[in-house]
Amino acid sequence: MKNVAVFGAGRIGRIHASNAAALPGVSLRFICDPVADSAGQLAGALGAQVSTPDAVFADRSIDAVVIGSPTDTHSDLIHRAAAAGKHIFCEKPVDLSVPRAEACAQTVAAAGVACMIGFQRRFDPTFNEAKQRLSRGDVGAAEMLVVTSRDPGAPPAEYLKASGGIFRDMLIHDFDVFRWILCVDDGDEAATLYSTGSVLTDPAIAQVGDVDSTAVTIRTRKGRLAQINTSRRAAYGYDQRFEVLGSKGMLQCGNHKPHEVLQSDGTGVHGEKPEHFFLQRYRDAYRLELAHFFETLQSGGRFRTTIEDGVAAQKLADAAAQSLATGVVVHL
Amino acid sequence: MKNVAVFGAGRIGRIHASNAAALPGVSLRFICDPVADSAGQLAGALGAQVSTPDAVFADRSIDAVVIGSPTDTHSDLIHRAAAAGKHIFCEKPVDLSVPRAEACAQTVAAAGVACMIGFQRRFDPTFNEAKQRLSRGDVGAAEMLVVTSRDPGAPPAEYLKASGGIFRDMLIHDFDVFRWILCVDDGDEAATLYSTGSVLTDPAIAQVGDVDSTAVTIRTRKGRLAQINTSRRAAYGYDQRFEVLGSKGMLQCGNHKPHEVLQSDGTGVHGEKPEHFFLQRYRDAYRLELAHFFETLQSGGRFRTTIEDGVAAQKLADAAAQSLATGVVVHL
Amino acid sequence: MKNVAVFGAGRIGRIHASNAAALPGVSLRFICDPVADSAGQLAGALGAQVSTPDAVFADRSIDAVVIGSPTDTHSDLIHRAAAAGKHIFCEKPVDLSVPRAEACAQTVAAAGVACMIGFQRRFDPTFNEAKQRLSRGDVGAAEMLVVTSRDPGAPPAEYLKASGGIFRDMLIHDFDVFRWILCVDDGDEAATLYSTGSVLTDPAIAQVGDVDSTAVTIRTRKGRLAQINTSRRAAYGYDQRFEVLGSKGMLQCGNHKPHEVLQSDGTGVHGEKPEHFFLQRYRDAYRLELAHFFETLQSGGRFRTTIEDGVAAQKLADAAAQSLATGVVVHL
Amino acid sequence: MKNVAVFGAGRIGRIHASNAAALPGVSLRFICDPVADSAGQLAGALGAQVSTPDAVFADRSIDAVVIGSPTDTHSDLIHRAAAAGKHIFCEKPVDLSVPRAEACAQTVAAAGVACMIGFQRRFDPTFNEAKQRLSRGDVGAAEMLVVTSRDPGAPPAEYLKASGGIFRDMLIHDFDVFRWILCVDDGDEAATLYSTGSVLTDPAIAQVGDVDSTAVTIRTRKGRLAQINTSRRAAYGYDQRFEVLGSKGMLQCGNHKPHEVLQSDGTGVHGEKPEHFFLQRYRDAYRLELAHFFETLQSGGRFRTTIEDGVAAQKLADAAAQSLATGVVVHL
C-alpha cells in the first residue's frame, strides 16, 4: 500500500486526487491547498485529511506526492519532495524556466526518487494505440507527423499573462507528442525548429504579448518532418488529432465523441462535436497515467514520461518562442 | 458495329440513348417515341434518326433494340423484337403481370435472341464490389441480408395508380438485389415471404390503394434470412443501402455523396446528403449495364440479368402484394 | 443514505455491486450468493458483508435490493423483497414465464415498492441521445425502426438449453428497445408480430431446440413498422445498432469503438472493431441505470424502466417464439 | 461553335482532347504531336485531323488552342498562339522560369486573348464545394489552412531531373490551392514562406538534387497561416486533402473513394483506399475546367484561373526552393 499526498485542490488536483483514491494499493492520505475550503471539501469527499507541505514532507509514512498546484510552485515542491525522499508525480510543466526545470531534474536524479511528469496524452487510448502500432512497425518507419491541436476557446487574458505564452502553456503537450512519436524510441531529436504565429481571434491576446494561432515546423536530425498547427479557438470544440505518415501507411488519430448518433435530415448527415474539452477528452488518460505511476513504482519498471521528457519539451517551447520573436529558424 | 434503336425518349430513354451513343462499337440509329418532339430532339442531339417500331423491326440492319418506353408497352415490343430477331435490352419490369412476363420469356427463348432486363443496381460500383467480395468468400458464406431502400419523395398519386403498387414498382429492384446477393449463385430461392405495410406519409396514397412504407421478410430454402425496409419518403434524400452478414464478417454498402466536404461548427460535424435520386446515384450503373449488354452480345458470354431474373423478381412482388393483402405468410 | 444488498456475485452481480458501492448516497451493505467464495471476495473488495436473503429481508435497515442472481430465482426474490418492503432493482428478465412475471408485477404494485428492471440499453449514451432527439421531434414523427443486434459468439449449448430460447434470452432487449422507441411515449403498442429464424452458425443450437439467426417484424396499432435482425455470431464482434426513420429525417445509432485510430495502408483504410461485448459496450449504461434507480428512489420521480415494461417485453418474446414455432403471424 | 486544336497527344493531352470533343458548342479540329502515331490515333478516335502548330496558327478558323505538350514547349506556344489571336488553355506550369512565365503573361495581355492555366483542383467537386462555402461565410473568416498532398509513388529519377524540383513540379498545385483559398478573394498574398524537406523514400531522388518529403509554412500579409505537407510516396495511394479553420468552424475536404463498401471482420472495419492517382481523382475536374474555359469564352465572364495565377504560384515555388536551399525564411 502506497501512502500519498496531493498538492492542489483545484481543477487538476481534484482529478488526480479522485483517481488516486480509486486505485487499488494506493491510500490517499492528505490534501494540501492554501485555500482551506477547497482542501477540506476534497479531503472530505475522498476520506483523506487536510495537511500542509511541511507536515507531508516530515511524515515518514508518505511514499509519494502528486503535484497539481500552480505552475510556479512546482520546482520548489519537487526539490522539497526529492529532499524528503518522496516519489513525485508532477503536472506539466516542470517549470516555465528551462534552467530551473533542469535543476529539478538534477535534484531528482541525485535523490534517486522517481519523478513522472503528467503528459497525459501518452495515456490517451487513441494516441497510445497509434504509438503501439508505430512501435510494432504496422505502418513502417515514421516519416512525417502532422499535429492539429485546438482549444474550444481562449482562457482569460489574465491567465494568459502568467502562462508563459502559448508555446509553454499549450504547445508543450504537442512538443511532447512530437518527441514521443518521432524521437524517444528512435534515438532522434529536433534539429531545427521554425514557428510563426498571429493574433486572429481576440486583440486582447496581443495586448498581453501572446499569439492565438501558431504554425510550427520541426525537422529532426534524421530528417523526419513534423508540422503542428494550433489555435486557441475552434468553434466546433476541442480538436485533438494527429497523423503519422510511415513508409508503409498512415495512422490517423481522430477526435472522441460523446455518443455515436448520426442524424440525417434535409440539410445533411450530422454527427456530434468532439468531447468538449480536456477534462472530458482526457478523462481516461488522467486515470491511466496515475495508475501507470503507481504500478511502475511497484514494479520498478521504466516510467513512460520522465522529468527529462519534461525538460526536453520545455526546450522546444523556448525555441518556438524564440523563432516567433526573431522570425528566424532555430538550430537546436 | 452493332446498329441500335431506342424505344422511348422520356427520362429513362434519354439515359439509355446517350449511353448507347457513347459506346464504341455501337451505332445509335433510331429513336422511336409517339411524342414526335421528344423523339426529334433526342435523335438530333445524338446524331440519330426518328423512326417507328414498324420500320425498326423491318430494318434488317438493326441488331438490337433498347426498350425504355412505358411499362405497358414492354411485352408487346419484346414479342415483336423477338419475332424480328432483334436482341433486346428492356427496362424493368418485364410486365406487371407475371403470366405475361413469362410469355415474354418463352418467346425470347424460342426466338434465340438475347434479352437483358435493366436491373441497374447489379452494375452500381458499390453494390457490385460487395457482390464480388461475397463471391470470393471475403466474408464467408452469406447468412442474412438487410436492405434499406427509400425514395426522397413519392411520385404523384396519378402515377401510383398505374404503377402496379409499391412492390411491383419500387421493391422490384430490392427483390432482384435479394436474389442476386443470396440466391442466384448459391442455388437458392425464396421459400417463404411475409410483408406488411402502412400509409404513413400521405393519405392520398391510401386512396389509390397503395402503401408507402413496407417491411418484407424472406426466408430462403436454405434458411438464409432477408429483411427489406422501404419508404416512399426520406427527408434526407435517396437512401440505397444494403448489408450482408456472412459467416466471417459483414459487407455494408453505403450511400454515395456528391462531394466529400465535412463541415464542423458549433452544432456538430456535418456531411453531405446522399446523391439526390436514381438518375444521379445510378448514373454509372446505367452506363455500365448498357456496356455490359453490348459487350456480352459481342463476346457471347452470360448476361448478368436475364429475362428469367425479371420474371422471378416479379413473382416475389406478387407474393409481397398477396401477403400484404391477406396478412399471412406466402409459401413460394 | 440508502442501505443496499446485492443478490448474486457472478458476472452481472459484480457489476451492479461495484456500481452501487461507488454511488454517493448509497451504502453497499450485503452480498448474497450461494457460492461462498464469490460472495466473500466481492464483499471484501467493496467493503461489504456476506449475508443471506433471510437475513437481508429481516434487516429493517436495508432500503433496497439489487437482484443479479440467476433468472430462475428472480420471481421468488421479488415476491419476498416486496413482502419485506424493500425497493427492487432486478436484472432482466422478470421471469421466463409471463404469468409468473405478471404475478410479480401485481405483488410489487400491491406492496407499493419500487421495482425497476435492468434494461440497460435505455441508459446507453448513444441510444439515449437518439431517444431524446426523437422525443424533441428533431426528426419528426417516428415511422420505422430497424434494429441490428448480434453477439460476437453463441454461449455454450448448456446455457442455451436453460435460456428460454433466443427470443426470451437475447431479443428481450430488442423488444424493449422497440417499445421504448416506438411505443411507450406515443400511446402505441405492438399489434402483429411475425418472426422467422434458422440455425446457420452451429448445429448444436438446433439440438437444444433453439435458433441462432432471427428476423422479426412488428407492426404497431398505429401502423408503424419495426424490423429486428439478430445473430448469435458476428465475426467482427458485438454489433448493436438501430436506426429510426422519422417524417423529417433519420437517427442512426452506431457501434462504440475502443479508440479512434484509422490506419491506411496498401490494403485499405482500417478502423477498429466495435467494443467486444456487452460488459464493455454497456459499461456506462450499467452505471447510469443504477444511478437512475437510486436518484429516482430519492426524488420520487418516474422510473425509466418498470416491471410492467419487463412483462410487456416478455409477452413480445413469447409471441415471437410462437410465430417461429407455428410459421404464422401473431396478433397481440 | 468554337474550333479547337490540341497540342500534345500524351497522357494529359488525351484527357483534354476527349473532354473537348464531348463538349457541346466545341469542335475538336486538330491534334498536334511530334510523335505521329500518337497524334494519329488520338485524332482518329475523336474524329479530328492531325496537324502542325504552323498550320494551326495559320488557320483563321481556329478559335482556341489547348496546350498539353511538354512543359518546355509551353512558353513558345503561348507566344505564338497570342500572336495568332488564338485563345489559350495551357496546362500548368506556364514555364519553369518565372521571368519567362511573366513574359508570357505580358504577351497574352497585350494580345488581348484569353489564357487560362490548368489548375484543375479548383474544379474538383469537393474542393470547389469547400471554396463556395468559404465564400458564403459558412465557417466565418478563414484563419488557417492545412494541405496534405501525397503521391502514391515517385516518378522515375529521369523525370525528376527535368521536373524543376518538387516545388515547381508537385507543390505548384498546392501553392495555387493556398492562393485560391486564403488569398485571391480576400486581397491577401503570401508575406513569408519557410520550407524544409528531406529524402526519406529513395536515395535516387537525392542524386538528382531533389527531395521527396517537404513541409512548407506560409504566413500571409494579414497574418493567416498555411501549412503544406507533401510526400512523393503514400503506401495507401493518392492523398489529396485540405482543411480550413474559420472563425466559426472548419471545412475538411476528404479523399474520394472508388466505392462505398465497408467490410467488417475479425481484424477491423475496412474501407477502400482513395482513388488511385490524379487521372482518377481529378477526372471530373479536368472535364469541368475545360467546360469552364469554353463557357467563359462564350459568356465573356471571368476565368477562374488566369495566367497571373500561374505566375504567382510559380513565384511561391521559387521561394520554397530558395528557402530549402538556404535554410532561411523567404520574405516575399
Side-chain angles (χ1 to χ4, degrees):
Chain A
M1 184 63 68
K2 300 286 181 192
N3 292 309
V4 179
V6 170
F7 298 125
R11 192 165 55 173
I12 200 75
R14 284 199 296 270
I15 292 172
H16 290 315
S18 300
N19 285 331
L23 282 173
V26 174
S27 170
L28 176 67
R29 299 282 307 285
F30 301 118
I31 305 286
C32 308
D33 196 297
V35 184
D37 268 12
S38 302
Q41 262 183 317
L42 184 58
L46 298 172
Q49 306 296 319
V50 171
S51 185
T52 64
D54 286 347
V56 163
F57 293 130
D59 184 336
R60 297 188 53 184
S61 75
I62 293 296
D63 300 287
V65 297
V66 172
I67 305 177
S69 48
T71 296
D72 58 9
T73 67
H74 289 188
S75 72
D76 181 55
L77 290 170
I78 289 173
H79 285 297
R80 295 180 65 190
K86 312 300 188 201
H87 297 301
I88 303 162
F89 175 95
C90 182
E91 253 308 301
K92 68 90 203 170
V94 182
D95 190 279
L96 289 179
S97 142
V98 167
R100 276 202 302 266
E102 286 179 320
C104 288
Q106 284 160 15
T107 299
V108 158
V113 295
C115 181
M116 178 171 154
I117 302 301
F119 287 125
Q120 87 285 357
R121 292 192 198 174
R122 295 200 191 190
F123 296 88
D124 175 74
T126 292
F127 293 167
N128 194 37
E129 173 74 20
K131 171 66 178 176
Q132 287 180 41
R133 291 187 187 195
L134 207 54
S135 299
R136 277 201 312 258
D138 291 6
V139 294
E143 294 170 356
M144 304 186 70
L145 171 68
V146 178
V147 180
T148 297
S149 180
R150 298 168 186 159
D151 282 356
E158 267 318 292
Y159 170 92
L160 290 180
K161 208 182 288 185
S163 71
I166 193 169
F167 297 114
R168 293 184 188 89
D169 180 57
M170 183 176 164
L171 279 87
I172 185 84
H173 282 293
D174 305 300
F175 292 131
D176 184 63
V177 165
F178 153 74
R179 291 188 65 254
W180 181 44
I181 294 297
L182 286 192
C183 300
V184 295
D185 294 326
D186 282 318
D188 205 358
E189 281 295 344
T192 60
L193 184 152
Y194 169 71
S195 82
T196 183
S198 294
V199 176
L200 297 171
T201 74
D202 184 356
I205 293 174
Q207 280 164 16
V208 299
D210 206 351
V211 294
D212 54 27
S213 306
T214 76
V216 176
T217 300
I218 308 176
R219 191 175 186 275
T220 71
R221 294 176 190 160
K222 295 187 173 179
R224 272 99 62 85
L225 306 173
Q227 288 195 311
I228 303 169
N229 74 80
T230 50
S231 174
R232 283 288 191 185
R233 180 191 64 195
Y236 52 93
Y238 194 45
D239 192 357
Q240 297 278 296
R241 293 171 286 147
F242 70 72
E243 63 182 64
V244 197
L245 177 66
S247 53
K248 295 179 183 165
M250 171 172 63
L251 295 167
Q252 291 177 291
C253 297
N255 285 315
H256 292 192
K257 288 174 295 180
H259 60 76
E260 296 294 332
V261 174
L262 215 54
Q263 179 171 327
S264 297
D265 56 33
T267 67
V269 179
H270 316 287
E272 189 54 275
K273 288 182 294 181
E275 290 189 314
H276 176 61
F277 205 5
F278 66 99
L279 295 180
Q280 289 80 35
R281 163 62 191 263
Y282 294 120
R283 193 189 317 111
D284 286 342
Y286 285 121
R287 183 174 52 78
L288 292 166
E289 69 171 358
L290 213 62
H292 170 82
F293 175 67
F294 287 107
E295 281 161 20
T296 308
L297 274 188
Q298 192 68 29
S299 70
R302 186 164 156 261
F303 289 89
R304 201 180 293 172
T305 56
T306 64
I307 191 165
E308 286 75 23
D309 290 321
V311 173
Q314 209 69 19
K315 286 181 177 171
L316 292 174
D318 271 23
Q322 181 189 337
S323 179
L324 177 67
T326 61
V328 302
V329 181
V330 173
H331 293 256
L332 292 141
Chain B
M1 184 64 67
K2 300 286 181 192
N3 292 309
V4 179
V6 170
F7 299 124
R11 194 164 55 173
I12 200 75
R14 283 199 297 272
I15 291 173
H16 290 315
S18 299
N19 285 332
L23 281 173
V26 173
S27 172
L28 176 67
R29 298 284 306 285
F30 301 117
I31 304 287
C32 307
D33 197 297
V35 184
D37 269 11
S38 301
Q41 261 183 319
L42 183 58
L46 298 172
Q49 306 296 319
V50 170
S51 185
T52 64
D54 286 348
V56 163
F57 292 130
D59 185 336
R60 300 188 52 185
S61 75
I62 292 297
D63 299 288
V65 297
V66 172
I67 303 177
S69 47
T71 295
D72 59 9
T73 67
H74 288 187
S75 72
D76 181 55
L77 290 170
I78 290 173
H79 285 296
R80 294 181 64 190
K86 312 299 186 198
H87 297 301
I88 302 161
F89 176 95
C90 182
E91 254 309 301
K92 69 91 204 170
V94 180
D95 190 279
L96 289 179
S97 141
V98 167
R100 276 203 303 268
E102 286 179 322
C104 288
Q106 285 159 13
T107 299
V108 159
V113 295
C115 182
M116 177 171 155
I117 301 301
F119 286 124
Q120 87 285 356
R121 291 191 199 175
R122 295 201 191 189
F123 297 87
D124 175 74
T126 291
F127 293 167
N128 194 36
E129 174 74 19
K131 171 67 179 177
Q132 287 180 40
R133 292 186 186 195
L134 208 53
S135 299
R136 278 201 311 260
D138 291 6
V139 294
E143 294 171 356
M144 302 185 70
L145 171 70
V146 178
V147 179
T148 298
S149 180
R150 298 167 186 159
D151 283 355
E158 268 316 293
Y159 170 92
L160 291 180
K161 208 182 290 185
S163 72
I166 193 168
F167 297 114
R168 294 184 188 90
D169 180 56
M170 183 176 165
L171 280 88
I172 184 86
H173 282 294
D174 304 301
F175 291 131
D176 183 63
V177 164
F178 154 73
R179 291 189 65 253
W180 181 44
I181 294 299
L182 285 193
C183 300
V184 293
D185 295 325
D186 283 317
D188 206 357
E189 281 296 344
T192 61
L193 184 151
Y194 169 71
S195 82
T196 183
S198 294
V199 175
L200 297 171
T201 74
D202 183 358
I205 293 174
Q207 281 164 15
V208 299
D210 207 352
V211 294
D212 54 27
S213 306
T214 76
V216 177
T217 300
I218 307 176
R219 191 174 187 275
T220 72
R221 295 176 189 161
K222 295 187 174 179
R224 272 99 62 85
L225 305 173
Q227 287 194 311
I228 303 170
N229 74 80
T230 50
S231 174
R232 284 285 191 186
R233 178 191 66 195
Y236 53 93
Y238 193 46
D239 192 355
Q240 297 279 297
R241 293 171 285 147
F242 69 74
E243 62 182 64
V244 197
L245 177 67
S247 54
K248 296 179 181 164
M250 171 173 61
L251 295 167
Q252 290 177 292
C253 296
N255 285 315
H256 292 191
K257 288 174 294 180
H259 60 77
E260 296 294 332
V261 173
L262 216 54
Q263 178 171 327
S264 297
D265 55 34
T267 66
V269 179
H270 316 287
E272 190 52 277
K273 289 181 295 181
E275 290 190 312
H276 176 61
F277 206 5
F278 67 98
L279 296 180
Q280 288 79 37
R281 164 61 191 265
Y282 293 120
R283 193 189 318 111
D284 286 342
Y286 283 121
R287 184 174 50 77
L288 292 166
E289 70 171 357
L290 212 62
H292 170 81
F293 175 66
F294 286 108
E295 281 161 21
T296 308
L297 275 188
Q298 191 68 31
S299 70
R302 186 165 155 261
F303 288 89
R304 200 179 293 171
T305 57
T306 64
I307 191 165
E308 286 74 23
D309 291 320
V311 172
Q314 209 70 18
K315 285 181 179 172
L316 293 174
D318 270 22
Q322 182 189 337
S323 179
L324 177 67
T326 61
V328 301
V329 181
V330 174
H331 293 257
L332 292 142
Chain C
M1 184 66 66
K2 300 287 180 191
N3 293 309
V4 179
V6 171
F7 298 124
R11 192 165 56 173
I12 201 74
R14 284 199 296 271
I15 291 172
H16 290 314
S18 300
N19 285 332
L23 280 174
V26 174
S27 171
L28 175 67
R29 299 283 306 285
F30 301 117
I31 305 286
C32 308
D33 196 297
V35 184
D37 269 12
S38 302
Q41 261 182 317
L42 183 58
L46 298 171
Q49 307 294 319
V50 170
S51 185
T52 64
D54 285 348
V56 162
F57 293 130
D59 185 336
R60 298 189 52 183
S61 76
I62 293 296
D63 300 287
V65 297
V66 172
I67 304 177
S69 48
T71 296
D72 58 9
T73 67
H74 288 187
S75 72
D76 181 55
L77 289 170
I78 289 173
H79 285 298
R80 294 180 64 191
K86 312 299 187 200
H87 297 300
I88 303 162
F89 176 95
C90 181
E91 254 308 300
K92 67 91 206 171
V94 181
D95 191 279
L96 289 179
S97 141
V98 167
R100 276 203 303 266
E102 286 179 322
C104 288
Q106 285 159 13
T107 300
V108 159
V113 295
C115 181
M116 177 171 155
I117 302 300
F119 287 124
Q120 87 284 357
R121 292 191 198 175
R122 296 200 190 189
F123 297 87
D124 175 73
T126 291
F127 294 167
N128 194 36
E129 173 75 20
K131 171 67 178 176
Q132 286 180 40
R133 292 187 187 195
L134 208 53
S135 299
R136 275 201 311 258
D138 292 5
V139 295
E143 295 171 355
M144 303 185 69
L145 170 69
V146 179
V147 180
T148 297
S149 180
R150 299 168 185 159
D151 282 357
E158 266 318 293
Y159 171 92
L160 291 180
K161 208 182 290 184
S163 71
I166 192 168
F167 297 114
R168 293 184 189 90
D169 180 57
M170 183 176 165
L171 279 88
I172 184 85
H173 283 293
D174 305 301
F175 292 131
D176 183 63
V177 164
F178 153 74
R179 292 189 65 255
W180 181 44
I181 294 298
L182 286 193
C183 301
V184 294
D185 294 326
D186 283 317
D188 206 358
E189 280 296 345
T192 61
L193 183 151
Y194 169 70
S195 84
T196 182
S198 294
V199 175
L200 297 171
T201 75
D202 184 356
I205 293 173
Q207 281 164 15
V208 299
D210 207 352
V211 294
D212 53 27
S213 307
T214 76
V216 176
T217 299
I218 307 176
R219 189 174 188 277
T220 71
R221 294 177 190 160
K222 296 188 173 178
R224 274 98 63 83
L225 305 173
Q227 288 194 311
I228 304 170
N229 73 81
T230 50
S231 174
R232 283 286 191 185
R233 179 191 66 195
Y236 53 92
Y238 193 45
D239 191 357
Q240 296 280 295
R241 292 171 285 147
F242 70 72
E243 62 182 64
V244 197
L245 177 66
S247 54
K248 295 179 182 165
M250 171 174 60
L251 295 167
Q252 290 176 292
C253 298
N255 285 314
H256 292 190
K257 290 175 293 181
H259 59 77
E260 295 295 331
V261 174
L262 216 54
Q263 178 170 328
S264 298
D265 56 32
T267 66
V269 178
H270 316 289
E272 190 53 277
K273 287 182 295 182
E275 290 189 314
H276 177 60
F277 206 5
F278 68 97
L279 295 180
Q280 289 79 36
R281 164 61 191 264
Y282 294 120
R283 192 189 318 111
D284 286 342
Y286 283 121
R287 183 174 51 78
L288 292 165
E289 70 171 358
L290 212 62
H292 170 82
F293 175 67
F294 286 108
E295 282 161 20
T296 308
L297 274 188
Q298 191 68 29
S299 70
R302 187 166 155 259
F303 288 90
R304 202 180 294 172
T305 57
T306 64
I307 191 165
E308 286 74 23
D309 291 319
V311 172
Q314 208 71 18
K315 286 181 178 171
L316 293 175
D318 271 23
Q322 181 188 336
S323 180
L324 177 67
T326 60
V328 302
V329 180
V330 173
H331 293 257
L332 292 141
Chain D
M1 184 65 68
K2 299 287 180 191
N3 291 310
V4 180
V6 171
F7 299 124
R11 191 164 56 174
I12 200 75
R14 283 200 297 271
I15 291 172
H16 290 315
S18 300
N19 285 332
L23 282 173
V26 174
S27 170
L28 176 67
R29 298 284 306 284
F30 301 117
I31 304 288
C32 309
D33 196 297
V35 184
D37 269 12
S38 302
Q41 262 183 317
L42 184 58
L46 298 172
Q49 307 295 319
V50 171
S51 186
T52 65
D54 286 347
V56 162
F57 292 130
D59 185 336
R60 298 188 54 182
S61 75
I62 293 296
D63 300 287
V65 296
V66 172
I67 304 177
S69 48
T71 295
D72 58 10
T73 67
H74 288 188
S75 72
D76 181 55
L77 289 171
I78 289 173
H79 285 298
R80 293 180 65 190
K86 312 300 187 200
H87 297 301
I88 302 162
F89 177 95
C90 183
E91 253 308 301
K92 68 91 209 171
V94 182
D95 190 280
L96 289 178
S97 143
V98 167
R100 276 203 303 266
E102 286 179 321
C104 287
Q106 285 159 13
T107 298
V108 159
V113 295
C115 182
M116 177 171 155
I117 301 301
F119 286 125
Q120 87 284 357
R121 291 191 199 175
R122 295 200 191 189
F123 297 87
D124 175 73
T126 292
F127 293 167
N128 193 36
E129 174 74 19
K131 170 67 179 176
Q132 287 179 40
R133 292 187 187 194
L134 208 53
S135 299
R136 277 201 310 259
D138 292 5
V139 294
E143 295 171 355
M144 304 185 69
L145 170 69
V146 178
V147 180
T148 298
S149 180
R150 298 167 186 160
D151 283 356
E158 267 317 294
Y159 171 91
L160 291 180
K161 208 182 288 183
S163 70
I166 192 169
F167 297 114
R168 293 183 189 92
D169 180 56
M170 184 176 164
L171 279 88
I172 185 85
H173 282 293
D174 304 302
F175 292 131
D176 183 63
V177 164
F178 154 73
R179 291 189 65 254
W180 181 45
I181 294 298
L182 285 193
C183 300
V184 294
D185 295 325
D186 282 317
D188 205 358
E189 281 296 342
T192 61
L193 183 151
Y194 169 71
S195 83
T196 184
S198 294
V199 175
L200 297 171
T201 73
D202 184 357
I205 292 174
Q207 281 164 16
V208 299
D210 207 352
V211 295
D212 54 25
S213 306
T214 75
V216 176
T217 299
I218 307 176
R219 190 174 187 275
T220 71
R221 294 176 189 161
K222 295 187 174 178
R224 273 97 64 83
L225 306 173
Q227 288 195 311
I228 304 169
N229 74 80
T230 50
S231 173
R232 284 287 192 184
R233 180 191 64 195
Y236 52 93
Y238 193 45
D239 191 356
Q240 297 279 296
R241 292 171 286 147
F242 71 72
E243 61 181 64
V244 196
L245 177 66
S247 53
K248 295 180 183 164
M250 171 173 60
L251 295 167
Q252 291 178 292
C253 297
N255 285 314
H256 293 191
K257 288 175 293 181
H259 60 77
E260 296 294 332
V261 174
L262 216 54
Q263 179 171 328
S264 298
D265 56 33
T267 66
V269 179
H270 315 288
E272 189 53 276
K273 288 182 296 182
E275 291 190 313
H276 177 60
F277 205 6
F278 67 98
L279 295 180
Q280 289 80 36
R281 163 63 190 263
Y282 294 119
R283 192 189 318 110
D284 286 342
Y286 283 121
R287 183 173 53 77
L288 293 166
E289 70 172 357
L290 213 62
H292 170 81
F293 175 66
F294 286 109
E295 283 161 19
T296 308
L297 274 188
Q298 192 68 30
S299 70
R302 187 164 156 260
F303 288 89
R304 201 179 294 173
T305 58
T306 64
I307 191 165
E308 286 74 24
D309 291 321
V311 173
Q314 210 69 18
K315 285 181 178 171
L316 293 175
D318 271 23
Q322 182 189 335
S323 179
L324 177 67
T326 60
V328 301
V329 181
V330 173
H331 293 257
L332 291 141

